[in-house]
Amino acid sequence: MAELNPPEYQHLLDAKGLMCPEPVMLLHKKVREMASGDVVRIEATDPSTTRDIPQFCNMLDHSLLSHSTEPLDAGELYLYYIKRR
């Protein structure tokens, strides 16, 4: 379900079509480029991101601000907003 008021973000990571472990590897690289307090929006189609991205945030102490799912023609779009610590 799409979010009514998604968080504001400064960065976008398009991981659509990529499979594990690529989305998290790209996220790790993107977060290193961000300033503390910046927010990144991740768009992914790999269902394993529902497990991997929350674990990534937990392990590295970043804040998972929100997570939602939207329907796509061929599956689902997973949206995440992460704030860098």
Side-chain angles (χ1 to χ4, degrees):
M1 172 181 286
E3 291 195 48
L4 298 176
N5 295 313
E8 289 187 29
Y9 60 96
Q10 295 76 39
H11 306 272
L12 173 65
L13 178 61
D14 182 355
K16 295 186 296 283
L18 302 177
M19 301 303 287
C20 182
E22 290 176 297
V24 171
M25 289 171 53
L26 291 176
L27 175 58
H28 192 66
K29 181 179 185 231
K30 175 59 80 179
V31 166
R32 278 190 248 140
E33 299 168 356
M34 295 167 41
S36 180
D38 278 3
V39 175
V40 60
R41 171 185 162 120
I42 300 107
E43 300 176 352
T45 51
D46 182 1
S48 70
T49 59
T50 61
R51 174 198 66 228
D52 296 343
I53 289 180
Q55 286 180 350
F56 169 87
C57 292
N58 189 44
M59 288 177 55
L60 297 176
D61 202 28
H62 300 301
S63 299
L64 178 57
L65 301 177
S66 73
H67 167 241
S68 62
T69 305
E70 295 181 1
L72 285 177
D73 290 339
E76 293 184 303
L77 177 66
Y78 303 97
L79 298 172
Y80 305 89
Y81 294 86
I82 295 173
K83 183 176 182 179
R84 188 182 195 275
R85 62 177 163 88

